[in-house]
Amino acid sequence: MSEPHTASAPDKPLFQYYAAMTWLLAFLACLYVGSSSFRVYQHKRQLEQQIAQQLQNVALSARRSLGLQLSQLVTTENMIADALADHLPPDLASASGRQVATLQALLTREAAGNDDIELLGVADRDGRVLFMSNNVTTVHEGDRIDVSALRGARAPATAIDIYQGGPRSAWPSGFVVTRPVRGADGLPRAFVFALQSHDAFQRRLKEMEQAGFSLGRHSVVAMIQVAGNRLAFRYPMADAIIGAPVPPIARQPFGDQPQLAYWISPYDHIKHLVYELPFANGAYLLRVEAAELDFLAPWYAELVLSGVSTLLLLTALALLLRLVRQGARQAAQLQFDKEQLDIGARAMGRLIATAPVALAHVRLDDGLLLRANPAFGHLFGAMPGEQLKVAESLFADAAVWRELCAGARLAGAAEGRSMEVTLNASEGTRHALVSVAPLPSKRDEPRELLLSFTDTEAQHAREQALATIAYTDPLTRLANRRAFFQQADATFATASRYQRPLALLMIDLDHFKHVNDTYGHAAGDAVLVRTANCLRHSVRHADLPARLGGEEFVVLLPETTLAEALETAERIRKTIALSPPAEFEGQAIPVTASLGVAMMRGDSKGIEAILNEADLALYEAKETGRNKVATAGMAQQTAAENTTAR
């Protein structure tokens, strides 16, 4: 038994070192995560400030461009108004055809000279259209413009209104700029109007984008009419409807700038940063929008990259901490294992010395016997040293030791092997069960073996006795019927495969029933024993004599020709007939025998076929006088002659 033992804890400085490493790694990870979060936050703020500045620049530039367009429209309308006042009568309906042609030519020329003007026209004091540019020679009865805001004497100088257009309108959608032409009484006597289409607005915005004022693929420029909160213009249009009210949407203020705010657009449902400026004397709001998914795209990419790197760092940290903990546990385990190995080595030495079975410690590479216990010395009569150097000398068959070594190499250190062998013991050869246990090594490859020998001589003797009983005739000590057929089938298969000669003798004692009836069965047994002895002395070592039952015997003759078989049969017959008679209770009992000889042929189906032919030959020998030898060929010839005689 080994002494109780408790592994001592690893040194305290070692644990302190691992703890310090753990805290340092955790601190570095927290520092990295914190700095990454702060950097990502700062990057987002920088991108928002940059886009806010860009929104302001685009809004101011767009307002200046649109304001310039409107001022050009007003200038053109002033010139048309002066021409009306100077060349046309107060009642425009009474103007001559020449005056009308001159006016239409002027309208067409001015409209063609300004890319922002879709058409120019003149309406009467009720807003009914009288003349239009662009070679429009026919004015429909229902063509009107809304002049209600310019009728009074104190009405504004110009009015800007939304024109929705539509599928039934001959005019495109856009802004209608209207200027009254007043008479001497200050009241309007006519109206000059100009239509600036949305297409012209969009063209201007595309030119600005190409000049470097792009805010991303989801950016929006819109104009909102303050009165009624109606949509006057939107680029791109998306699902917006010109003239429709803008849906109320909650806004999120951006910093301390009132012009900036976040909102979810009701048209494309994307979050936008919006910048608003008043336009046209506060009648409209110019709104410029940049989609968050456009201007924060670099931030999103950095956020994903930072998240992935943080995740990888935390994963690596977790693995590293796990390794650190495993290192601490392994350090303690190594110290414990070292002490346990020392204890195990001492316990193994005591176990080997006191074990009741023979044990030997052997080196696998060369089979050198390193040490053994006293039981080993009792079994083999010597200990490892000068007399017993290698394990191979312990086995009666050296190939058995090589087989055990090969099995140990294949099985590895975790498995062993056992087999029954014959040993060169001190008292001669002995049977034993040998067990081979590969001893573990650093490389998990067996380098040394532990052999144990368990004496099985008594068990082997019992097994041999049982085998003798199972396969030996108890009276004659010859092979019995089971043993004969088992060996004969194997011999027949070998002879048939390699085309070798095989002969078989059937032997039957003459008048054996008369012996039993006259002298008794005990006398018959004595005759059978005498016959078995005659067979043993008349055949070769390779031949197989056997008793099939009663007074019938058989001899299997491998590698024997017909001539040799006949010679052996005749020798057996003479030995049985000429040997001293069997004696029983002072009486001599002479015995003769008849023999049948058969050979294996190319068409023989098995040992039973040869046995049948030998039985026919035996019958022929008995029928023709007994105490003689007959062959299967002779028996077949006689049978044929008898058939012919009949």
Side-chain angles (χ1 to χ4, degrees):
M1 297 294 291
S2 60
E3 299 86 351
H5 176 77
T6 303
S8 60
D11 297 338
K12 188 175 181 180
L14 182 62
F15 271 125
Q16 291 177 348
Y17 168 75
Y18 284 130
M21 286 291 296
T22 303
W23 283 109
L24 178 60
L25 292 174
F27 172 75
L28 292 177
C30 293
L31 185 63
Y32 174 80
V33 173
S35 62
S36 298
S37 301
F38 180 75
R39 184 177 67 254
V40 169
Y41 171 77
Q42 286 294 103
H43 189 199
K44 182 180 180 183
R45 297 298 300 170
Q46 290 175 1
L47 292 175
E48 288 179 332
Q49 293 297 333
Q50 290 175 4
I51 198 64
Q53 186 62 45
Q54 292 179 15
L55 285 172
Q56 182 179 6
N57 295 337
V58 172
L60 292 175
S61 177
R63 187 171 69 172
R64 283 195 299 269
S65 177
L66 296 177
L68 181 61
Q69 294 180 43
L70 291 179
S71 64
Q72 291 176 353
L73 289 178
V74 173
T75 301
T76 301
E77 288 180 338
N78 288 338
M79 183 184 66
I80 301 298
D82 293 341
L84 289 175
D86 295 340
H87 302 291
L88 292 180
D91 185 7
L92 298 180
S94 62
S96 64
R98 183 177 180 181
Q99 290 175 327
V100 171
T102 301
L103 177 60
Q104 261 193 334
L106 176 62
L107 293 174
T108 301
R109 185 175 62 254
E110 292 298 328
N114 192 332
D115 293 337
D116 296 325
I117 298 177
E118 187 70 25
L119 60 86
L120 279 171
V122 177
D124 61 12
R125 67 185 62 189
D126 295 325
R128 184 169 60 88
V129 178
L130 300 177
F131 316 107
M132 287 192 299
S133 62
N134 293 336
N135 298 322
V136 180
T137 57
T138 301
V139 178
H140 299 285
E141 184 68 25
D143 290 344
R144 290 179 174 275
I145 61 172
D146 185 8
V147 296
S148 58
L150 299 172
R151 287 184 182 277
R154 297 182 179 180
T158 57
I160 303 175
D161 201 2
I162 304 170
Y163 183 73
Q164 296 180 235
R168 296 184 179 181
S169 173
W171 303 354
S173 61
F175 292 97
V176 177
V177 182
T178 308
R179 181 191 184 284
V181 180
R182 302 183 184 277
D185 57 357
L187 296 176
R189 64 186 183 91
F191 295 92
V192 180
F193 65 91
L195 176 63
Q196 185 179 31
S197 69
H198 288 158
D199 293 338
F201 271 61
Q202 293 181 6
R203 187 170 58 252
R204 292 283 185 179
L205 293 174
K206 289 181 180 178
E207 291 174 356
M208 291 176 61
E209 286 184 355
Q210 295 173 357
F213 287 91
S214 176
L215 298 173
R217 60 187 299 264
H218 297 93
S219 60
V220 176
V221 177
M223 292 188 66
I224 311 299
Q225 190 178 38
V226 176
N229 192 33
R230 294 193 305 158
L231 181 67
F233 170 77
R234 190 178 191 274
Y235 172 73
M237 285 299 295
D239 295 331
I241 299 176
I242 300 301
V246 178
I249 298 294
R251 301 189 182 192
Q252 177 184 352
F254 179 80
D256 56 353
Q257 304 182 47
Q259 301 94 339
L260 285 167
Y262 275 111
W263 79 329
I264 305 295
S265 173
Y267 303 111
D268 56 14
H269 308 289
I270 298 175
K271 188 176 183 180
H272 291 258
L273 184 61
V274 183
Y275 190 92
E276 292 181 336
L277 281 177
F279 179 70
N281 297 323
Y284 291 86
L285 282 177
L286 177 62
R287 179 180 293 161
V288 183
E289 306 175 19
E292 186 181 59
L293 60 86
D294 288 336
F295 68 82
L296 288 184
W299 179 77
Y300 288 133
E302 184 181 8
L303 183 63
V304 171
L305 181 61
S306 178
V308 171
S309 61
T310 301
L311 180 61
L312 292 177
L313 176 64
L314 293 177
T315 302
L317 177 61
L319 293 176
L320 192 57
L321 291 177
R322 183 179 179 183
L323 291 176
V324 169
R325 290 193 174 187
Q326 287 181 350
R329 286 196 295 267
Q330 289 175 357
Q333 188 64 37
L334 286 175
Q335 186 174 355
F336 177 79
D337 291 344
K338 182 179 179 181
E339 296 179 3
Q340 289 298 314
L341 284 175
D342 294 339
I343 297 173
R346 294 193 298 271
M348 178 63 72
R350 288 194 294 270
L351 177 63
I352 292 176
T354 59
V357 297
L359 297 175
H361 187 190
V362 182
R363 194 161 61 195
L364 178 59
D365 293 337
D366 53 8
L368 182 65
L369 288 165
L370 302 177
R371 61 179 65 87
N373 64 345
F376 179 89
H378 295 322
L379 178 62
F380 293 100
M383 296 294 283
E386 293 298 326
Q387 295 181 353
L388 294 177
K389 292 184 178 181
V390 292
E392 184 177 354
S393 62
L394 305 178
F395 299 88
D397 186 359
V400 174
W401 165 246
R402 292 191 291 271
E403 182 181 353
L404 288 172
C405 292
R409 290 188 177 95
L410 291 176
E415 301 179 10
R417 187 177 181 185
S418 300
M419 64 184 302
E420 189 168 0
V421 299
T422 303
L423 301 176
N424 293 324
S426 59
E427 299 177 358
T429 58
R430 292 187 69 84
H431 295 88
L433 180 67
V434 59
S435 298
V436 181
L439 298 178
S441 64
K442 294 182 179 179
R443 299 180 182 177
D444 288 337
E445 298 178 357
R447 297 298 181 186
E448 297 177 350
L449 305 176
L450 181 64
L451 304 183
S452 65
F453 303 91
T454 303
D455 190 359
T456 60
E457 186 65 30
Q459 180 181 353
H460 181 77
R462 287 193 297 271
E463 291 175 354
Q464 288 296 107
L466 291 175
T468 300
I469 293 173
Y471 293 98
T472 303
D473 180 63
L475 177 64
T476 63
R477 310 306 296 172
L478 294 178
N480 61 10
R481 187 181 188 89
R482 178 192 299 175
F484 170 76
F485 278 106
Q486 182 174 337
Q487 187 169 343
D489 287 338
T491 304
F492 176 84
T494 302
S496 178
R497 172 180 293 182
Y498 298 104
Q499 299 296 312
R500 304 303 300 168
L502 178 64
L504 189 143
L505 308 181
M506 280 287 291
I507 304 166
D508 190 83
L509 299 180
D510 298 330
H511 305 295
F512 184 73
K513 183 176 184 303
H514 175 71
V515 173
N516 282 334
D517 294 341
T518 304
Y519 301 102
H521 289 283
D525 290 344
V527 171
L528 293 175
V529 171
R530 172 185 177 275
T531 304
N533 293 331
C534 292
L535 290 179
R536 289 192 186 93
H537 292 90
S538 302
V539 299
R540 301 168 302 181
H541 180 72
D543 300 334
L544 176 63
R547 180 190 177 195
L548 294 185
E551 72 276 17
E552 289 184 343
F553 295 87
V554 64
V555 179
L556 186 68
L557 304 173
E559 299 290 340
T560 303
T561 63
L562 177 60
E564 294 171 340
L566 289 173
E567 180 182 350
T568 302
E570 186 61 27
R571 183 170 60 250
I572 293 174
R573 186 193 67 78
K574 289 181 179 180
T575 302
I576 294 175
L578 300 177
S579 294
E583 293 185 1
F584 179 75
E585 295 181 352
Q587 298 184 22
I589 307 174
V591 179
T592 61
S594 301
L595 291 86
V597 181
M599 296 295 297
M600 182 186 74
R601 301 195 305 271
D603 58 350
S604 297
K605 300 301 183 182
I607 199 66
E608 290 283 356
I610 305 174
L611 195 63
N612 290 335
E613 292 182 3
D615 191 53
L616 290 175
L618 175 63
Y619 180 79
E620 176 67 18
K622 284 183 174 291
E623 288 294 318
T624 57
R626 290 185 172 85
N627 192 23
K628 61 188 302 185
V629 176
T631 64
M634 294 170 56
Q636 292 172 357
Q637 183 179 359
T638 302
E641 292 175 353
N642 293 335
T643 303
T644 303
R646 293 192 187 97

